[in-house]
Amino acid sequence: MTDSRSPRPDHVESRQDPVRSGLRLALSRAAAALEKLTEAIATVQTAIGCISIAAMVLLLVGSSIQRYALGSPIPIVEELAGLLFVTLAFMAITEGFTADRQVRIQLVWRYLPQRLQGWAMIAGHFLSIFAMVMIIVATFNFALFSYQVGARTNFMEFLLWPWMMLIPGSFAILVLATFARILVDLDAVLDGRPVKEALAVSQIVVE
C-alpha cells in the first residue's frame, strides 16, 4: 500500500515554482537596475567626451588663427589636444557598447538558432571581459609606473598618470556594462526571448 501522505511530483514542482519565479524576478530586476546604472555612467562619460572635443577644436582653431595672424602659435596646443583626444576616445567606448553602436562580426552567429544565439553571445561577453581585464591590468601597471617616476609632458610638464588612468578606468566601466548585458541576455534566454544584440541586428536589417 502506498502512503497517501507522500508528496506527489506535481506538488514538489509547485513548491519549486515560487522559488524559481523569485530567482527569475530577482535576475530581471538586477539586470534592469545595473543596465540603467551603466547607461547613466555612459551618458556622463559621453558628456565629458563632448566637452573634450569642443575644447580640442577651440584650441586648434585658436592656435591656427594665432599662428597665421600673429605668427606665434599657442605652445601648449599639441600636448593638450593630444590629452583631450585620449579623453574623448576612451570616454566614448561605454556609450558605444550600451547603445549597440560598436562594430560586430556575426557572419556565423546570425545563422544559429535563437537559443544558441543567446548562449553564444553570453559566452562572447565573458571572453571580452577576460580580455578587458588583461588590458586593465597592463594599462593600470603602466599608469602606476608613470605615477611613481613622475612622468610629465615635454613642454608644459603636465602629469601624465591621471590621463593614463583614464584607460583602465574606462575599461573597468565597460566591464561593468558588459556584465550588465550578460544579466540582460541571460534573462532573455531563460525567458525564451531573443537577446538584445539580436534585436539590434533585426532593426538594422529592417532599416
Side-chain angles (χ1 to χ4, degrees), residues 8 15 17 23 40-42 66 69 79 82 85 95 101 113 117 123 149 162-163 190 196 203-204:
R8 293 172 55 188
R15 286 196 297 267
D17 287 341
L23 292 175
I41 295 174
Q66 189 163 341
E79 289 183 346
F85 180 77
E95 173 69 18
R101 294 174 181 170
Q117 281 184 347
V149 301
W163 307 91
L190 295 178
K196 194 168 185 178
Q203 290 176 358
I204 294 174

Side-chain angles (χ1 to χ4, degrees), residues 150-170:
R152 295 174 179 270
T153 58
N154 292 329
F155 297 105
M156 302 308 296
E157 295 188 348
F158 293 128
L159 284 171
L160 286 174
W161 70 265
W163 307 91
M164 297 172 68
M165 281 295 182
L166 289 175
I167 303 174
S170 297

